[in-house]
Amino acid sequence: AQSVTQLDSQVPVFEEAPVELRCNYSSSVSVYLFWYVQYPNQGLQLLLKYLSGSTLVKGINGFEAEFNKSQTSFHLRKPSVHISDTAEYFCAVSENYGQNFVFGPGTRLSVLP
Amino acid sequence: GAVVSQHPSWVICKSGTSVKIECRSLDFQATTMFWYRQFPKQSLMLMATSNEGSKATYEQGVEKDKFLINHASLTLSTLTVTSAHPEDSSFYICSARVAAQETQYFGPGTRLLVL
């Protein structure tokens, strides 16, 4: 069975600083990987996804993530964060092409002025 | 594109009443819809998967008689929380998927408070 770990429950960072949100997964088969962002009292918005091909994936709002198969990781990065990036970020894994999403516990990114 | 709406966004009800939550795909046809539950400061937990025109598949531990799911059309799924109790208070989020596509598109969520 697949599982997702997000080691950092909270990440405080100053505005314009770089940030990395970590995601590790376990699965016995090939997976599809996603990052979603959730603003307070809202649903989830897709940031980016990895299906196949280039391991570096670029998403919306200046975010990017790199798939590392040997380390079973899919860390999310942004070179310079803004106050508006303050939100909850969820990493998700799917073994079954869009079905059976398993979400990590989430990382709360707080961007400080 | 790929917009999913939910109605209502907020609902407060008395214990023992039933509440219906609607999930609609506005600009695409969703062959599969998913219902999740999210407790405060926690991740999303899948409750059930529904395919248009067939019975929903519930995750282990989710009471199918309490959480009734109907997916009558390619753009609408409903979740009815029957005889709601305070412990059912939560944030309910639906998502929708187009056949043969890998991405789920999420609705804005419905916050249910049972008094």
Side-chain angles (χ1 to χ4, degrees), chain B residues 31-114:
Chain B
T31 50
T32 307
M33 287 186 169
F34 306 83
W35 286 95
Y36 294 84
R37 187 172 180 176
Q38 185 181 31
F39 289 106
K41 301 187 187 300
Q42 294 188 29
S43 189
L44 281 73
M45 298 299 295
L46 180 65
M47 298 175 65
T49 301
S50 73
N51 292 296
E52 185 263 339
S54 60
K55 288 185 178 180
T57 301
Y58 291 81
E59 294 300 299
Q60 193 172 9
V62 177
E63 299 176 58
K64 61 180 66 176
D65 294 331
K66 180 165 188 64
F67 299 100
L68 301 178
I69 291 172
N70 183 280
H71 191 167
S73 77
L74 286 172
T75 59
L76 173 64
S77 176
T78 60
L79 167 68
T80 302
V81 183
T82 62
S83 187
H85 288 97
E87 58 267 28
D88 298 324
S89 298
S90 189
F91 194 48
Y92 293 87
I93 304 176
C94 75
S95 70
R97 171 180 175 261
V98 178
Q101 288 195 13
E102 75 294 328
T103 302
Q104 291 183 23
Y105 299 96
F106 287 80
T110 296
R111 189 162 298 283
L112 170 64
L113 177 61
V114 184

Side-chain angles (χ1 to χ4, degrees), chain A residues 26-109:
Chain A
S26 66
S27 174
S28 57
V29 299
S30 296
V31 296
Y32 306 97
L33 297 155
F34 305 79
W35 274 100
Y36 286 87
V37 59
Q38 184 180 35
Y39 298 101
N41 296 311
Q42 295 186 28
L44 275 65
Q45 180 182 3
L46 179 67
L47 276 178
L48 47 78
K49 59 188 175 186
Y50 172 79
L51 307 179
S52 65
S54 173
T55 57
L56 183 62
V57 180
K58 293 190 183 298
I60 63 171
N61 301 341
F63 284 94
E64 63 180 32
E66 186 157 19
F67 170 57
N68 187 317
K69 188 175 182 179
S70 63
Q71 297 186 6
T72 60
S73 68
F74 190 54
H75 300 332
L76 181 70
R77 291 189 281 262
K78 186 169 182 177
S80 176
V81 294
H82 302 290
I83 297 288
S84 58
D85 293 323
T86 295
E88 191 84 20
Y89 290 80
F90 292 97
C91 181
V93 169
S94 171
E95 290 181 346
N96 192 7
Y97 206 63
Q99 305 265 57
N100 303 109
F101 271 38
V102 174
F103 285 86
T107 296
R108 174 160 296 278
L109 174 64

